[in-house]
């Protein structure tokens, strides 16, 4: 397989683990294109949900869920992700993993994963 085909397969696999993600307002055009494409696929607004996460806040403060692009304010930076309607579950529970990675070089890529991390189950 060619390098491009291999790269495409890797990106497809990553998209199964992490939903489409955009930083607004910097990636506004890409986000709008993805939002409209997902809306077209869904066929209606009721299943095209996106989660908005304000930059610099923690513990779920300021997080909102939208399905109308007009509900987004671009006054402050936010991270927006396609909301997963059917997330991967572990023994029936939603979860997330916190891993610590030290990147020492980007070209060539060199990274080290710390042996300890933790998981949260909800």
């Amino acid at each position: 397989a060619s390098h491009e085909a291999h790269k495409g397969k890797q990106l497809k696999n990553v998209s199964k683990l992490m939903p489409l993600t955009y930083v607004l307002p910097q990636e506004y055009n890409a986000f709008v294109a993805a939002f409209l494409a997902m809306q077209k696929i869904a066929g209606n607004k009721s299943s095209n949900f996106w989660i908005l996460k304000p930059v610099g806040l923690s513990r779920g403060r300021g997080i909102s869920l939208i399905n109308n692009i007009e509900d987004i304010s671009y006054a402050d930076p936010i991270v927006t992700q396609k909301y997963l309607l059917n997330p991967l579950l572990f023994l029936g529970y939603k979860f997330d993993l916190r891993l610590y990675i030290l990147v020492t070089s980007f070209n060539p890529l060199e990274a080290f994963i710390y042996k300890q991390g933790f998981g949260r189950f909800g």
Side-chain angles (χ1 to χ4, degrees):
S2 72
H3 175 70
E4 289 302 315
H6 180 68
K7 185 176 173 183
K9 186 175 179 181
Q10 286 180 320
L11 289 174
K12 185 176 179 183
N13 288 337
V14 167
S15 69
K16 291 179 184 178
L17 296 174
M18 186 174 146
L20 291 172
T21 304
Y22 300 93
V23 177
L24 301 178
Q26 295 92 328
E27 297 178 310
Y28 171 80
N29 291 335
F31 166 68
V32 170
F35 185 96
L36 295 175
M38 290 295 162
Q39 187 131 336
K40 186 175 181 180
I41 291 168
N44 60 36
K45 289 184 180 180
S46 64
S47 62
N48 188 26
F49 284 100
W50 293 75
I51 189 165
L52 307 178
K53 303 172 184 182
V55 172
L57 295 180
S58 61
R59 297 177 283 143
R61 292 178 292 162
I63 291 178
S64 61
L65 198 62
I66 61 110
N67 66 344
N68 185 340
I69 201 164
E70 294 174 7
D71 293 339
I72 299 176
S73 168
Y74 301 99
D76 297 311
I78 57 171
V79 173
T80 183
Q81 288 183 312
K82 180 73 175 105
Y83 185 74
L84 299 177
L85 296 174
N86 297 306
L88 178 64
L89 302 176
F90 180 78
L91 299 176
Y93 293 95
K94 289 174 70 174
F95 69 96
D96 66 75
L97 300 175
R98 301 291 171 110
L99 304 173
Y100 300 95
I101 301 172
L102 171 65
V103 178
T104 56
S105 174
F106 287 97
N107 194 6
L109 179 62
E110 182 176 60
F112 300 90
I113 299 175
Y114 190 64
K115 290 181 181 180
Q116 296 180 357
F118 63 92
R120 296 186 313 166
F121 299 85

